[in-house]
Amino acid sequence: MANSGPARPASQVTLKTVFTVCFGVLAVTALVFFLLRTQVSVTLSLGAGMLAVAMNHAAEALTRRGLPRKVAVPAVVVTLLALSAGLSVMLIPPVASQAKALFAAAPMLWQKLQHTRLFLALDAHFDLSEQLRQSVPAAAGAVAPVLVAIGGVLSAVGGLLTLLLLAIFMLLFGGDLVAAILAEASPANKDRYERIVEKVYGSVGGYVGGVIGICSINATLTTAFLAITGMPFFLPLGILSGFSSAIPYAGPLVAGSSITLLALITGGPLKALVTGVYFILYGQLEGSVLSPLIFRRTVHINPLVTTVAILFMAEFMGLPGAIIAVPAAATTQILIRELLSLRKQQDAKLRREPA
């Protein structure tokens, strides 16, 4: 007897669709695994790309003033190398001397911290001494910390040299590579891709230039303030405070709190109060005046998006992730806007077509 019920519609899921979805899932999984296993290389590449974009902006500024690009690019590279060498010669000896003194004084500072009223109050309520004793194993002598510090310094120097060389190579050859990739795009999409690249280039370049300016202002003002107030180890602390501005919101807060605590240990409550007031005032200056003024025409990101981006990128890649969080969020924002704009154009085209 024939079945007289309604016929079932044919399945719209083809074997090709299943394979495509599976391949996409595997590709995303492999990409995430690859990024997790190569965080150092990814961080160096992203940092070098940001530095190369900033140097290319400087080279373009020279070309707009009539200097040929084949002369402007080497001029920017030589200027960067000379500036790095000059700062190293001027800063490394005093920084190393004060940092050595800071390491030597660390046990004494720790003892003084344990006798401050703040520490005693926290210890009484939270048993802070016992928790620190359990979380931080006792040092097996003075050799291990020194070796760790030396290894950290050598790793940092090697990373900076790699970053600088990679940025120079990107500056010299990155433009031709991007142009070659865009040349392979279809004529219908080429203009859109070029617009996206131009927006990302302008946003990242503006951000990097602004961060360099803000970090320099922070380091200069903080070093001068700490030197005037007689703060020991003022030079490495001022430079550390300057670098902290590379991490919006969280960086200056942590650096200011740490330096204020050190002022309390070494100079007493009055010096700590003056230092805390300085960092509060400078934080207002940086957050309300410098950052909006510098980033107003380049990186237009909501502060909530910035905070969330820093949170996730710091969890994913640590301190380097927090540094590149803002340009990564800006790039993502540009891509999302372009995708939404493309979707609107497609919807408008479908509405105009006759049924």
Side-chain angles (χ1 to χ4, degrees), residues 56-100:
N56 195 57
H57 275 279
E60 289 181 345
L62 293 177
T63 56
R64 287 194 295 268
R65 287 168 172 75
L67 196 66
R69 182 171 176 82
K70 62 182 180 180
V71 178
V73 171
V76 171
V77 173
V78 171
T79 301
L80 178 64
L81 294 176
L83 183 62
S84 301
L87 290 176
S88 299
V89 171
M90 289 188 297
L91 295 179
I92 285 180
V95 168
S97 176
Q98 292 191 16
K100 181 180 178 181

Side-chain angles (χ1 to χ4, degrees), residues 182 184-197 338 342 345-346:
L182 292 176
E184 299 298 325
S186 61
N189 297 323
K190 185 177 180 180
D191 292 339
R192 180 179 299 106
Y193 294 156
E194 289 179 347
R195 184 171 64 250
I196 293 174
V197 171
E338 288 295 330
L342 178 61
Q345 293 176 5
Q346 292 176 347

Side-chain angles (χ1 to χ4, degrees), residues 236-254:
L237 292 177
I239 295 175
L240 178 65
S241 177
F243 278 115
S244 71
S245 292
I247 307 175
Y249 307 118
L253 177 62
V254 173

